[in-house]
């Protein structure tokens, strides 16, 4: 699975028209959205050590500014596999998209493309998944539309077709 830093795509295509962008990247996209790191609630402390400094949290309802403190988005080119098998995402080394995050299951999400478009399904993950805030039922595929937000445990993604991705690059 090909991946690109969002900033490299912005640099190259933010002033392009859809025809030029789609000529190079006609496929759909899964954008791994950056997020603030959240340490576990309980931590190991050594007697006599000073507590770690408090990290300010953004106010409720605020939208993080892309590229500021949260990190950078990674754009994954979502293209059907040549063997016709579904695309898997998780922390297992056998996945097509390996995301090393402890909240993800070995195989967390499964993506498949048919004549209607891309679908996503939760693979029976331990921490669950949602699509635009609605919980995904394990094993039940749901059709993706450009701009939809997929939350796999604590890892956020956005799904885009080529036109939606170009609009994101221009934003």
């Amino acid at each position: 699975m090909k991946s690109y830093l969002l900033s490299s795509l912005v640099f190259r295509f933010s002033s392009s028209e859809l025809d030029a962008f789609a000529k190079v990247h006609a496929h759909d996209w899964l954008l791994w959205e950056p997020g603030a790191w959240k340490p576990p609630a309980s931590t190991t402390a050594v007697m006599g050590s000073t507590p770690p400094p408090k990290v300010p949290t953004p106010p409720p309802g605020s939208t993080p500014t892309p590229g500021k403190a949260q990190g950078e988005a990674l754009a994954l080119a979502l293209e059907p596999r040549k063997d016709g098998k579904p695309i898997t995402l998780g922390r297992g080394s056998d996945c097509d998209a390996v995301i090393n995050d402890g909240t993800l299951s070995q195989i967390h999400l499964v993506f498949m493309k048919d004549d209607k478009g891309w679908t996503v399904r939760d693979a029976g993950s331990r921490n669950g998944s949602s699509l635009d805030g609605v919980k995904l039922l394990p094993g039940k595929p749901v059709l993706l539309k450009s701009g939809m937000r997929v939350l796999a445990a604590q890892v956020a993604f956005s799904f885009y077709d080529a036109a939606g991705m170009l609009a994101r690059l221009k934003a």
Side-chain angles (χ1 to χ4, degrees):
M1 177 173 271
K2 294 178 188 173
S3 61
Y4 307 84
L5 287 176
L6 187 62
S7 62
S8 67
L9 293 172
V10 168
F11 178 77
R12 186 165 176 207
F13 295 106
S14 63
S15 60
S16 296
E17 296 301 318
L18 181 57
D19 291 342
F21 180 69
K23 192 175 198 178
V24 179
H25 296 293
H27 49 78
D28 296 306
W29 295 88
L30 193 61
L31 197 61
W32 180 6
E33 301 287 359
W37 179 70
K38 297 176 191 168
S42 61
T43 59
T44 304
V46 177
M47 294 299 278
S49 67
T50 58
K54 286 204 168 219
V55 177
T57 57
S62 67
T63 304
T65 306
K68 300 281 186 194
Q70 292 86 13
E72 183 169 3
L74 186 66
L76 306 170
L78 199 53
E79 299 174 286
R81 289 175 44 147
K82 289 182 172 84
D83 61 9
K85 292 182 180 178
I87 292 175
T88 56
L89 181 147
R91 62 184 169 88
S93 60
D94 292 340
C95 287
D96 299 294
V98 178
I99 308 290
N100 191 13
D101 184 286
T103 65
L104 294 178
S105 293
Q106 292 292 313
I107 299 175
H108 201 100
L109 294 174
V110 177
F111 296 87
M112 190 71 184
K113 187 167 185 176
D114 62 20
D115 58 337
K116 294 179 185 174
W118 283 97
T119 61
V120 62
R121 68 177 166 86
D122 185 281
S125 65
R126 177 184 67 235
N127 292 321
S129 305
S130 63
L131 182 61
D132 279 348
V134 177
K135 183 177 172 66
L136 289 175
L137 299 175
K140 185 173 189 246
V142 178
L143 186 64
L144 289 166
K145 294 184 179 130
S146 190
M148 287 184 135
R149 304 270 300 175
V150 180
L151 187 63
Q154 293 180 16
V155 184
F157 300 91
S158 296
F159 172 80
Y160 293 108
D161 59 14
M165 184 64 166
L166 184 60
R168 173 74 185 261
L169 296 177
K170 291 181 178 223

